[in-house]
Amino acid sequence: MSPSARTRLGVPLILLVAGVTTALVSTAGQDSREPRDLANHHAHADAGLDSRNVAGLKPAWKIGTETYVTHRPLIEDGRVYFADWGGRVYAADLRSGKILWARDVETPLKERPWHGFAGTGALGDGLLFEASAEGNAFALDVRTGELRWKVRLAPGEPTAGNAGPLLYHEGLVYAGLCSAEELIQEKGFRPAFRGAVIALDAKTGKTAWTLRLAEPPANGVAVWGGFALDADTRTLFFTTGNNYTGAATDLADAVVAVDGRAGKVRWKRQITENDVWTMTDPKGPDYDFGTGPQLFEVQRNGTSLRLVGAGQKSGVYVALDRETGTPVWQAAVGYGELAGGILADASVADGRVLVWSNNSFNPYTRKPGDCPMSVKALDAATGATLWALPKPQPAGVTAAGFLSKDVYFVPSLDGQIRAYRAGDGRLLWMSPEEDASIGASIAAGGGVLCAGRGVPEMFGGKGKTGHGVWAYAPVTGSR
């Protein structure tokens, strides 16, 4: 990346004073383990929060960090794990917010538009796996934070890195590659990045397989979202981004199914054709997938269907047959733009797909409050709208909501979280106003709701204020 591009894309970092931690509720006897969400449902029926106690949610603790936290908090065994854009990884007590350990493991390239741990790690085999925007992957001991291994995801590719969620399953860690190349506005710059999915051996960090998503002279096809995995068939599902320049390829803007053990493509379904886009040469609509897929099963016309669904930046959620990739239904949720459409994973449970979408949002020209999002509940079998909220809250970015029992939590760039009743969309709770945008997906467990804070101004956030993780819990006796 050239010096001029570095200057143009640089993001300032402002020090945030560490927050005070105040425990409000005992979580003894509640399940504080977030289950392995192979289906990528962003839902936890035993998270300890529902419509009976959500109105009593109050701020429980804050952990301040020096840089942005867009890493979804990972909850397991009474602990919460997260990482920040400064390359630091944390473990904290879920009930009190006390930091148990913190380790600096990456040296961030701060001149890039995102850096450090902009994505979300994964837990498995007593290890915490993280991957950075700089292109390195790490394994840390969950008890001590000791570094077990560090590897380069894409040797020889200086702009390749990770900004999405990882997935762990049966000794393998899956990571997608993305790049800032399509945002570089320097005249004459020629992108060379080629997207990929990489499987690493969890014990050693050695590459088990690599699947390239574009072959020269084609470029682009980044993987921004996470993964879903069908353990019965060992099929790994993911979504892809657009091409950057040149001719379009059929793996761009697609839902892809591969053999999870070998990385061989089983099927691919392109949703938007000819989407070739960069900031300086925007030929296509930029309707790539910024989200990961969800797996679910439904009954339709007396037949059981195994589906994979995903939301696109066009604002449309699509559901495909999991075995063949054949389209089953699609539903419009919002409207596309540079930061429009569906940017975050849906929550799926009880025959519903709960999803939010931005509407024609462009952070360079409009404020989040001027572009209210849409929130919808879709019938998982047909895509029909069960209920819809056309303008319930300001725009968001890549922060997925979370479904806890019968409550759907949705974050926004204004720093507030709204809780809606999953059955009818009724507003049940709003978090206090915070001068701290939310760019991290919501997580809940053990009766505690956690959200990462801090979003750069170039992505519509408040930038200089509010970096860290905030937690909420019901006050005792609120049920």
Side-chain angles (χ1 to χ4, degrees):
M1 186 178 294
S2 70
S4 59
R6 289 172 183 159
T7 301
R8 188 175 296 110
L9 295 175
V11 178
L13 301 178
I14 303 296
L15 179 65
L16 177 72
V17 178
V20 177
T21 64
T22 304
L24 290 179
V25 62
S26 170
T27 59
Q30 294 178 320
D31 176 23
S32 62
R33 175 185 290 269
E34 185 181 14
R36 294 280 183 266
D37 192 7
L38 294 179
N40 199 30
H41 280 176
H42 292 273
H44 186 2
D46 299 320
L49 300 173
D50 57 33
S51 59
R52 296 173 298 172
N53 64 6
V54 67
L57 280 176
K58 301 293 183 182
W61 49 258
K62 295 181 180 181
I63 298 174
T65 63
E66 294 183 3
T67 58
Y68 312 109
V69 176
T70 53
H71 184 295
R72 178 170 63 90
L74 302 174
I75 297 171
E76 184 171 276
D77 294 338
R79 291 184 168 201
V80 57
Y81 302 90
F82 63 95
D84 65 22
W85 284 34
R88 177 171 287 191
V89 184
Y90 304 77
D93 183 86
L94 179 63
R95 293 171 59 186
S96 67
K98 177 183 177 181
I99 295 177
L100 303 174
W101 55 257
R103 298 284 183 270
D104 292 311
V105 297
E106 178 62 281
T107 302
L109 299 177
K110 297 180 182 179
E111 68 273 15
R112 294 187 178 181
W114 53 86
H115 45 267
F117 298 113
T120 294
L123 294 163
D125 288 345
L127 297 173
L128 170 62
F129 306 100
E130 299 286 354
S132 69
E134 289 71 25
N136 297 307
F138 308 83
L140 295 88
D141 186 288
V142 296
R143 304 308 300 178
T144 66
E146 177 185 358
L147 183 65
R148 294 293 185 85
W149 52 255
K150 172 185 176 180
V151 297
R152 184 76 186 163
L153 286 171
E157 298 186 59
T159 69
N162 174 267
L166 307 182
L167 179 68
Y168 167 85
H169 183 64
E170 292 187 344
L172 290 179
V173 181
Y174 301 100
L177 287 187
C178 65
S179 170
E181 282 192 354
E182 67 179 320
L183 296 182
I184 295 177
Q185 302 181 49
E186 183 176 297
K187 185 177 181 180
F189 176 77
R190 295 184 178 182
F193 167 79
R194 295 177 295 131
V197 170
I198 299 169
L200 303 176
D201 183 285
K203 292 183 179 179
T204 65
K206 292 182 179 180
T207 299
W209 55 259
T210 299
L211 173 63
R212 283 292 178 184
L213 303 175
E215 295 299 334
N219 55 37
V221 195
V223 177
W224 300 104
F227 304 90
L229 191 142
D230 185 330
D232 293 335
T233 63
R234 290 187 170 179
T235 304
L236 181 74
F237 300 87
F238 60 91
T239 58
T240 65
N242 52 275
N243 292 110
Y244 294 168
T245 59
T249 58
D250 62 0
L251 276 174
D253 287 17
V255 181
V256 184
V258 304
D259 183 322
R261 306 304 294 181
K264 302 298 183 183
V265 175
R266 290 181 170 169
W267 58 256
K268 58 183 181 293
R269 175 64 60 176
Q270 188 171 57
I271 305 302
T272 301
E273 298 179 350
N274 300 313
D275 193 4
V276 180
W277 189 95
T278 62
M279 288 286 284
T280 55
D281 193 12
K283 295 178 181 178
D286 190 32
Y287 280 173
D288 53 309
F289 284 94
T291 70
Q294 290 82 49
L295 306 183
F296 47 97
E297 298 185 28
V298 300
Q299 292 291 322
R300 183 163 170 166
N301 299 324
T303 302
S304 179
L305 298 178
R306 290 158 55 84
L307 304 182
V308 53
Q312 199 178 14
K313 281 181 63 180
S314 62
V316 174
Y317 191 93
V318 297
L320 314 173
D321 184 282
R322 201 186 308 179
E323 311 302 327
T324 65
T326 303
V328 175
W329 58 260
Q330 66 177 31
V333 182
Y335 300 96
E337 236 287 2
L338 182 65
I342 301 171
L343 299 177
D345 297 349
S347 292
V348 181
D350 301 325
R352 298 185 187 93
V353 176
L354 297 160
V355 59
W356 67 262
S357 173
N358 280 342
N359 291 295
S360 306
F361 180 45
N362 185 331
Y364 292 98
T365 60
R366 304 184 71 183
K367 296 179 180 180
D370 297 331
C371 292
M373 65 168 64
S374 298
V375 179
K376 282 190 176 184
L378 307 174
D379 186 302
T382 66
T385 298
L386 300 176
W387 54 258
L389 304 175
K391 297 180 179 181
Q393 59 190 75
V397 277
T398 56
F402 192 89
L403 181 64
S404 177
K405 205 110 182 194
D406 61 343
V407 178
Y408 181 44
F409 295 94
V410 183
S412 276
L413 283 167
D414 68 346
Q416 289 188 282
I417 303 169
R418 279 83 169 172
Y420 303 100
R421 191 160 59 190
D424 58 12
R426 177 187 173 188
L427 180 65
L428 301 175
W429 174 80
M430 290 176 59
S431 66
E433 292 186 11
E434 300 277 6
D435 194 22
S437 295
I438 302 175
S441 297
I442 300 295
V448 180
L449 182 74
C450 298
R453 300 274 182 167
V455 177
E457 292 180 1
M458 69 177 295
F459 298 129
K462 298 183 180 181
K464 299 178 181 180
T465 61
H467 308 146
V469 173
W470 276 223
Y472 306 86
V475 292
T476 303
S478 63
R479 180 177 291 276

